[in-house]
Short mmCIF file of all heavy atoms in Angstrom, two decimals:
data_model
loop_
_atom_site.label_atom_id
_atom_site.label_comp_id
_atom_site.label_asym_id
_atom_site.label_seq_id
_atom_site.Cartn_x
_atom_site.Cartn_y
_atom_site.Cartn_z
N ARG Z 1456 0.84 -1.24 0.00
CA ARG Z 1456 0.01 0.01 0.01
C ARG Z 1456 0.88 1.26 0.02
O ARG Z 1456 2.05 1.20 0.36
CB ARG Z 1456 -0.89 0.01 1.32
CG ARG Z 1456 -1.81 -1.24 1.46
CD ARG Z 1456 -2.66 -1.11 2.73
NE ARG Z 1456 -1.88 -1.12 3.94
CZ ARG Z 1456 -2.29 -1.26 5.16
NH1 ARG Z 1456 -3.58 -1.54 5.25
NH2 ARG Z 1456 -1.60 -1.21 6.23
N CYS Z 1457 0.24 2.39 -0.32
CA CYS Z 1457 0.95 3.63 -0.30
C CYS Z 1457 0.08 4.64 0.38
O CYS Z 1457 -1.09 4.91 -0.04
CB CYS Z 1457 1.31 4.13 -1.73
SG CYS Z 1457 2.21 5.69 -1.78
N PHE Z 1458 0.62 5.30 1.34
CA PHE Z 1458 -0.10 6.44 2.00
C PHE Z 1458 0.70 7.69 1.88
O PHE Z 1458 1.82 7.75 1.41
CB PHE Z 1458 -0.01 6.07 3.60
CG PHE Z 1458 -0.70 4.86 3.96
CD1 PHE Z 1458 0.09 3.81 4.49
CD2 PHE Z 1458 -2.04 4.67 3.90
CE1 PHE Z 1458 -0.43 2.60 4.92
CE2 PHE Z 1458 -2.67 3.48 4.21
CZ PHE Z 1458 -1.88 2.39 4.71
N HIS Z 1459 -0.08 8.80 1.96
CA HIS Z 1459 0.52 10.19 1.71
C HIS Z 1459 0.36 11.02 3.09
O HIS Z 1459 -0.72 11.14 3.62
CB HIS Z 1459 -0.17 10.80 0.60
CG HIS Z 1459 0.17 10.21 -0.75
ND1 HIS Z 1459 1.24 10.47 -1.46
CD2 HIS Z 1459 -0.45 9.17 -1.37
CE1 HIS Z 1459 1.30 9.73 -2.58
NE2 HIS Z 1459 0.19 8.93 -2.56
N TRP Z 1460 1.46 11.57 3.47
CA TRP Z 1460 1.40 12.33 4.70
C TRP Z 1460 1.89 13.81 4.32
O TRP Z 1460 3.06 14.01 4.16
CB TRP Z 1460 2.46 11.70 5.70
CG TRP Z 1460 2.20 12.20 7.15
CD1 TRP Z 1460 1.63 13.41 7.52
CD2 TRP Z 1460 2.51 11.54 8.36
NE1 TRP Z 1460 1.69 13.56 8.87
CE2 TRP Z 1460 2.17 12.38 9.41
CE3 TRP Z 1460 3.04 10.31 8.65
CZ2 TRP Z 1460 2.30 11.98 10.83
CZ3 TRP Z 1460 3.25 9.94 9.96
CH2 TRP Z 1460 2.87 10.86 11.00
N ARG Z 1461 0.90 14.65 4.19
CA ARG Z 1461 1.13 15.98 3.68
C ARG Z 1461 1.36 16.98 4.94
O ARG Z 1461 0.72 16.81 5.96
CB ARG Z 1461 0.08 16.50 2.91
CG ARG Z 1461 -0.09 15.77 1.52
CD ARG Z 1461 -1.45 15.94 0.90
NE ARG Z 1461 -2.48 15.24 1.61
CZ ARG Z 1461 -3.77 15.23 1.34
NH1 ARG Z 1461 -4.19 15.87 0.17
NH2 ARG Z 1461 -4.75 14.61 2.04
N GLN Z 1462 2.22 17.85 4.77
CA GLN Z 1462 2.58 18.78 5.88
C GLN Z 1462 1.40 19.50 6.32
O GLN Z 1462 0.53 20.03 5.58
CB GLN Z 1462 3.64 19.79 5.40
CG GLN Z 1462 4.27 20.59 6.53
CD GLN Z 1462 5.40 21.60 6.02
OE1 GLN Z 1462 5.35 21.96 4.80
NE2 GLN Z 1462 6.32 21.81 6.84
N GLN Z 1463 1.20 19.55 7.63
CA GLN Z 1463 0.17 20.32 8.29
C GLN Z 1463 -1.31 19.79 7.87
O GLN Z 1463 -2.24 20.48 7.98
CB GLN Z 1463 0.24 21.78 7.89
CG GLN Z 1463 1.51 22.45 8.21
CD GLN Z 1463 1.92 22.34 9.75
OE1 GLN Z 1463 1.04 22.44 10.57
NE2 GLN Z 1463 3.24 22.14 9.98
N ASN Z 1464 -1.35 18.56 7.39
CA ASN Z 1464 -2.67 17.99 7.08
C ASN Z 1464 -3.11 17.00 8.14
O ASN Z 1464 -2.69 15.87 8.27
CB ASN Z 1464 -2.56 17.28 5.67
CG ASN Z 1464 -3.88 16.92 5.15
OD1 ASN Z 1464 -4.72 16.26 5.82
ND2 ASN Z 1464 -4.11 17.30 3.92
N THR Z 1465 -3.95 17.45 8.94
CA THR Z 1465 -4.44 16.70 10.14
C THR Z 1465 -5.25 15.49 9.75
O THR Z 1465 -5.31 14.48 10.42
CB THR Z 1465 -5.26 17.53 11.12
OG1 THR Z 1465 -6.32 18.10 10.43
CG2 THR Z 1465 -4.37 18.61 11.71
N SER Z 1466 -5.94 15.58 8.53
CA SER Z 1466 -6.79 14.49 8.08
C SER Z 1466 -5.88 13.29 7.75
O SER Z 1466 -6.30 12.17 7.89
CB SER Z 1466 -7.61 14.87 6.93
OG SER Z 1466 -6.86 15.10 5.77
N ASP Z 1467 -4.69 13.58 7.25
CA ASP Z 1467 -3.71 12.45 6.94
C ASP Z 1467 -3.23 11.71 8.15
O ASP Z 1467 -3.14 10.54 8.19
CB ASP Z 1467 -2.50 13.07 6.16
CG ASP Z 1467 -2.84 13.43 4.80
OD1 ASP Z 1467 -3.92 13.12 4.35
OD2 ASP Z 1467 -1.99 14.11 4.09
N VAL Z 1468 -3.02 12.49 9.23
CA VAL Z 1468 -2.72 11.86 10.54
C VAL Z 1468 -3.75 10.99 11.08
O VAL Z 1468 -3.54 9.81 11.45
CB VAL Z 1468 -2.25 12.88 11.57
CG1 VAL Z 1468 -1.87 12.28 12.93
CG2 VAL Z 1468 -1.18 13.80 11.05
N ARG Z 1469 -5.05 11.52 10.99
CA ARG Z 1469 -6.12 10.72 11.50
C ARG Z 1469 -6.33 9.43 10.65
O ARG Z 1469 -6.56 8.36 11.15
CB ARG Z 1469 -7.39 11.49 11.48
CG ARG Z 1469 -7.40 12.66 12.43
CD ARG Z 1469 -8.81 13.21 12.60
NE ARG Z 1469 -9.41 13.65 11.33
CZ ARG Z 1469 -9.30 14.86 10.86
NH1 ARG Z 1469 -8.64 15.80 11.59
NH2 ARG Z 1469 -9.92 15.23 9.77
N HIS Z 1470 -6.15 9.57 9.33
CA HIS Z 1470 -6.26 8.45 8.41
C HIS Z 1470 -5.25 7.39 8.82
O HIS Z 1470 -5.60 6.19 8.86
CB HIS Z 1470 -6.01 9.03 7.03
CG HIS Z 1470 -5.65 7.99 5.96
ND1 HIS Z 1470 -6.42 6.90 5.60
CD2 HIS Z 1470 -4.48 7.91 5.18
CE1 HIS Z 1470 -5.88 6.16 4.70
NE2 HIS Z 1470 -4.69 6.74 4.37
N MET Z 1471 -3.99 7.75 9.03
CA MET Z 1471 -2.96 6.83 9.27
C MET Z 1471 -3.20 6.15 10.73
O MET Z 1471 -2.99 5.01 10.93
CB MET Z 1471 -1.55 7.40 9.12
CG MET Z 1471 -1.33 7.85 7.76
SD MET Z 1471 0.36 8.36 7.56
CE MET Z 1471 1.18 6.80 7.89
N ALA Z 1472 -3.62 6.93 11.66
CA ALA Z 1472 -3.87 6.43 12.95
C ALA Z 1472 -5.05 5.46 12.92
O ALA Z 1472 -4.98 4.36 13.57
CB ALA Z 1472 -4.18 7.52 13.91
N ARG Z 1473 -6.14 5.79 12.16
CA ARG Z 1473 -7.18 4.76 12.05
C ARG Z 1473 -6.75 3.49 11.44
O ARG Z 1473 -7.19 2.41 11.89
CB ARG Z 1473 -8.38 5.37 11.26
CG ARG Z 1473 -9.17 6.51 11.93
CD ARG Z 1473 -10.50 6.84 11.25
NE ARG Z 1473 -10.15 7.38 9.88
CZ ARG Z 1473 -10.12 8.58 9.55
NH1 ARG Z 1473 -10.12 9.51 10.52
NH2 ARG Z 1473 -9.82 9.09 8.31
N THR Z 1474 -5.87 3.57 10.38
CA THR Z 1474 -5.40 2.40 9.72
C THR Z 1474 -4.55 1.58 10.72
O THR Z 1474 -4.69 0.38 10.82
CB THR Z 1474 -4.56 2.81 8.54
OG1 THR Z 1474 -5.40 3.60 7.64
CG2 THR Z 1474 -4.00 1.58 7.78
N MET Z 1475 -3.70 2.25 11.53
CA MET Z 1475 -2.87 1.56 12.40
C MET Z 1475 -3.76 0.91 13.52
O MET Z 1475 -3.41 -0.25 13.90
CB MET Z 1475 -1.98 2.65 13.05
CG MET Z 1475 -0.97 2.11 14.03
SD MET Z 1475 0.19 3.54 14.59
CE MET Z 1475 1.41 3.52 13.34
N ALA Z 1476 -4.76 1.48 13.99
CA ALA Z 1476 -5.61 0.91 15.03
C ALA Z 1476 -6.75 -0.05 14.58
O ALA Z 1476 -7.51 -0.52 15.34
CB ALA Z 1476 -6.29 2.05 15.73
N GLY Z 1477 -6.78 -0.27 13.25
CA GLY Z 1477 -7.85 -1.17 12.74
C GLY Z 1477 -9.15 -0.55 12.75
O GLY Z 1477 -10.21 -1.22 12.71
N LYS Z 1478 -9.20 0.77 12.80
CA LYS Z 1478 -10.48 1.54 12.73
C LYS Z 1478 -10.76 2.39 11.48
O LYS Z 1478 -11.53 3.25 11.45
CB LYS Z 1478 -10.46 2.52 13.98
CG LYS Z 1478 -10.50 1.86 15.31
CD LYS Z 1478 -10.50 2.89 16.45
CE LYS Z 1478 -10.62 2.23 17.83
NZ LYS Z 1478 -12.00 1.72 18.08
N SER Z 1479 -10.03 1.99 10.38
CA SER Z 1479 -10.18 2.65 9.11
C SER Z 1479 -11.52 2.18 8.61
O SER Z 1479 -12.19 1.26 8.92
CB SER Z 1479 -9.12 2.19 8.19
OG SER Z 1479 -8.93 0.84 8.13
N VAL Z 1480 -12.04 3.06 7.55
CA VAL Z 1480 -13.36 2.86 6.92
C VAL Z 1480 -13.08 2.80 5.50
O VAL Z 1480 -12.47 3.65 4.85
CB VAL Z 1480 -14.31 3.95 7.30
CG1 VAL Z 1480 -15.62 3.73 6.66
CG2 VAL Z 1480 -14.42 4.17 8.84
N GLY Z 1481 -13.54 1.70 4.83
CA GLY Z 1481 -13.35 1.47 3.48
C GLY Z 1481 -14.76 1.65 2.68
O GLY Z 1481 -15.85 1.45 3.30
N LEU Z 1482 -14.71 1.99 1.47
CA LEU Z 1482 -15.98 2.21 0.67
C LEU Z 1482 -15.81 1.46 -0.62
O LEU Z 1482 -14.84 1.63 -1.44
CB LEU Z 1482 -16.23 3.67 0.45
CG LEU Z 1482 -17.42 4.03 -0.47
CD1 LEU Z 1482 -18.74 3.59 0.23
CD2 LEU Z 1482 -17.49 5.48 -0.89
N VAL Z 1483 -16.76 0.65 -0.98
CA VAL Z 1483 -16.72 -0.11 -2.24
C VAL Z 1483 -18.04 0.16 -2.99
O VAL Z 1483 -19.15 0.11 -2.41
CB VAL Z 1483 -16.51 -1.63 -2.09
CG1 VAL Z 1483 -17.66 -2.23 -1.34
CG2 VAL Z 1483 -16.23 -2.25 -3.49
N LEU Z 1484 -17.92 0.43 -4.26
CA LEU Z 1484 -19.06 0.87 -5.08
C LEU Z 1484 -19.21 -0.05 -6.31
O LEU Z 1484 -18.29 -0.26 -6.98
CB LEU Z 1484 -18.95 2.30 -5.52
CG LEU Z 1484 -18.65 3.40 -4.45
CD1 LEU Z 1484 -18.41 4.81 -5.06
CD2 LEU Z 1484 -19.84 3.45 -3.45
#
């Protein structure tokens, strides 16, 4: 997988923390 951590982007930090904790949310259409 590839993640992106942009400077001063708090949503990226939350995204990675959720992934780390097994609390991420996926969407399939």
Side-chain angles (χ1 to χ4, degrees):
R1456 305 179 297 191
C1457 182
F1458 302 111
H1459 293 271
W1460 197 333
R1461 293 162 292 182
Q1462 189 177 29
Q1463 306 302 321
N1464 192 308
T1465 57
S1466 67
D1467 287 349
V1468 179
R1469 293 195 302 271
H1470 161 60
M1471 296 191 64
R1473 285 193 298 269
T1474 302
M1475 184 175 274
K1478 292 178 176 288
S1479 50
V1480 182
L1482 176 68
V1483 64
L1484 306 176

